[in-house]
Amino acid sequence: MGQWLLGWVKNEIVLIVATLLAIISCFIIPPDAQYMEYVHWNTLAQLVSLMLVVAGFQRIGVFRIIASKLLQKASTSRMVMLILVSLTFFSGMIITNDVALVTFVPFALSVLIMSGKERWAPMLITLMTLGANLGAMLTPIGNAHNLYLKALTQMPSWEMITIMAPFSLASAIMLIAVIWMYFDNTSMEEITAEAELEKSVLAPSPHKDQPDEIRIFNYGAGYAGWRTWVYVALFILCILAVSDLIPLWIMVAIVVVTMFFTDHRVFRNIDWGLPLTFAMFFIFIGNMKRIPEFYTAAQQFVQYSPLDISVLTSQFISNMPATLLLAGFSDAWDALIVGTNLGGLGTLIASMASLVSYRNIVSRMPDKKGKYLGLYTAMNLGFLAVLLLLAHVIL
């Protein structure tokens, strides 16, 4: 029981802190009718709906099947590494950075182990983590905090994409350059040419640990048939709702009802801590804004340099809480969008999604933990320095 509780606290530390802050603020501003106005229900509805659909895709193994098919087209180690990093970069744009890492980092580690190239794990996983965070910053659905900023500002999706496009393009160029310089061009055909790579990598034995809910026979592993097309339709529905093309209530009703009948277990598989964390921060920030002295001081602090303050704050509390906090005291939206997205680079906790990669390295290759932390920090600070300089030039 104690072990489980300790693990839960470690995994939900942001939710715990947010809840404590919300409770403390309730003593300062007692609950009243205005509390209902604090919570941004549109954001929560979009977030939960997308989480349900993406979890459905995960449970049938679609993303890893795509990865294995792509790898079968590669013959050299450099191309394999490029594909693995590209998978997190582009999937981060549509299934969020944390889901991209949960899906593809175990896959990549298994590929390295099968090919005897474990020495490359620290650099490859660092680049995949960078790829997920850098790709996710482009779209409103890539990062949960982007979803909130879009809903808060009512900014069209194309406008947010336009703001972040130069940084995503620069990031892609830097990632390709590092991959080309670091990895060699030796053959990996003995691994990638395997016809059933997804089976050998994902579920080598039904008695061994498996990366997620994948099951090779019957339900799972990309052979779910009609479920795949149902989830594609639901995902398109979510995109239409996020883009303000259909009412949110229609999206929520259709997604919830459909997921209940196609796979009711998916409701247990999503991270309910994320929307709860949002709700707690909404309460805390809503109460703090009603304290004139605090509001004035916070507003003056953020306005000093919204871009740099966003990046700096993210290093200590991660970019999602930083977004919720700073957006309550500033309307410099372009600077906040760029700053909180770039703020996901830097320290290990700057983006909570990065902890997914760290936990995988620690569990699968504990002897490489120190090297990974060193490489991760150095590469993140290097990318952050270049992109922050670009941000100052553009903004």
Side-chain angles (χ1 to χ4, degrees):
M1 179 64 179
Q3 192 89 12
W4 175 86
L5 183 61
L6 182 61
W8 182 82
V9 170
K10 286 182 178 179
N11 289 332
E12 301 293 349
I13 187 65
V14 177
L15 172 60
I16 292 170
V17 171
T19 303
L20 289 174
L21 290 173
I23 292 172
I24 293 170
S25 71
C26 289
F27 286 100
I28 302 173
I29 305 292
D32 56 21
Q34 289 190 46
Y35 268 55
M36 289 300 293
E37 300 175 7
Y38 294 165
V39 180
H40 208 278
W41 299 106
N42 285 5
T43 301
L44 297 184
Q46 294 170 355
L47 182 62
V48 172
S49 297
L50 281 164
M51 289 170 67
L52 285 170
V53 177
V54 170
F57 275 122
Q58 280 187 291
R59 282 175 57 81
I60 60 175
V62 166
F63 303 127
R64 284 193 173 93
I65 297 302
I66 293 172
S68 66
K69 298 303 181 187
L70 287 173
L71 284 184
Q72 289 172 22
K73 306 297 182 182
S75 58
T76 65
S77 53
R78 186 177 289 156
M79 286 304 299
V80 168
M81 304 308 147
L82 179 61
I83 287 173
L84 290 170
V85 174
S86 298
L87 281 168
T88 59
F89 183 79
F90 289 107
S91 64
M93 299 177 186
I94 56 175
I95 63 173
T96 74
N97 49 356
D98 54 340
V99 174
L101 294 173
V102 166
T103 303
F104 295 118
V105 166
F107 180 92
L109 288 174
S110 296
V111 170
L112 290 178
I113 292 170
M114 289 175 64
S115 60
K117 298 184 184 296
E118 294 95 329
R119 68 185 184 279
W120 284 347
M123 178 58 85
L124 174 61
I125 304 306
T126 291
L127 293 175
M128 290 180 70
T129 307
L130 273 168
N133 289 328
L134 293 167
M137 68 184 183
L138 179 65
T139 65
I141 62 174
N143 275 317
H145 70 266
N146 277 351
L147 204 61
Y148 168 65
L149 287 171
K150 183 194 177 301
L152 181 66
T153 61
Q154 297 185 329
M155 181 181 292
S157 297
W158 64 264
E159 186 175 339
M160 180 173 283
I161 291 173
T162 301
I163 291 171
M164 294 308 304
F167 306 99
S168 291
L169 178 60
S171 301
I173 293 171
M174 289 191 288
L175 285 170
I176 292 172
V178 173
I179 290 169
W180 239 251
M181 289 186 293
Y182 190 86
F183 300 106
D184 61 36
N185 217 28
T186 55
S187 173
M188 287 188 69
E189 286 186 328
E190 72 279 5
I191 301 298
T192 60
E194 189 172 342
E196 295 186 335
L197 180 64
E198 66 268 21
K199 291 187 179 182
S200 59
V201 172
L202 302 183
S205 166
H207 306 294
K208 294 182 179 180
D209 291 337
Q210 298 177 347
D212 55 16
E213 290 292 324
I214 288 174
R215 298 294 182 268
I216 291 302
F217 300 107
N218 298 321
Y219 183 79
Y223 305 113
W226 59 270
R227 287 186 179 88
T228 301
W229 300 109
V230 170
Y231 297 159
V232 168
L234 291 179
F235 186 77
I236 293 172
L237 185 73
C238 289
I239 298 299
L240 293 175
V242 171
S243 302
D244 304 317
L245 296 177
I246 63 171
L248 278 176
W249 69 267
I250 292 180
M251 173 196 70
V252 173
I254 293 176
V255 168
V256 170
V257 172
T258 304
M259 295 306 301
F260 180 80
F261 284 104
T262 56
D263 182 10
H264 63 86
R265 290 172 297 178
V266 78
F267 290 89
R268 300 199 304 263
N269 280 68
I270 69 172
D271 179 15
W272 289 103
L274 183 57
L276 285 174
T277 300
F278 268 76
M280 293 301 105
F281 271 115
F282 287 149
I283 294 172
F284 169 69
I285 295 166
N287 282 331
M288 292 297 98
K289 289 176 71 173
R290 292 170 66 179
I291 304 173
E293 296 81 7
F294 183 90
Y295 180 81
T296 301
Q299 191 177 44
Q300 290 176 348
F301 174 71
V302 178
Q303 292 302 330
Y304 175 74
S305 177
L307 173 64
D308 295 319
I309 295 297
S310 299
V311 172
L312 181 63
T313 306
S314 298
Q315 302 308 302
F316 300 99
I317 64 173
S318 90
N319 56 354
M320 188 272 286
T323 303
L324 301 182
L325 180 63
L326 299 178
F329 305 101
S330 174
D331 58 0
W333 302 123
D334 285 16
L336 287 179
I337 290 170
V338 174
T340 53
N341 277 294
L342 297 187
L345 308 177
T347 64
L348 189 62
I349 63 168
S351 170
M352 298 305 290
S354 302
L355 294 176
V356 172
S357 301
Y358 177 71
R359 294 188 188 111
N360 272 278
I361 284 285
V362 170
S363 64
R364 299 284 295 274
M365 301 177 180
D367 58 311
K368 300 188 184 301
K369 178 175 69 174
K371 184 176 181 181
Y372 174 76
L373 283 174
L375 270 173
Y376 177 89
T377 303
M379 293 294 294
N380 268 262
L381 291 177
F383 272 67
L384 178 58
V386 173
L387 295 175
L388 188 56
L389 177 62
L390 178 63
H392 277 286
V393 171
I394 293 175
L395 297 178

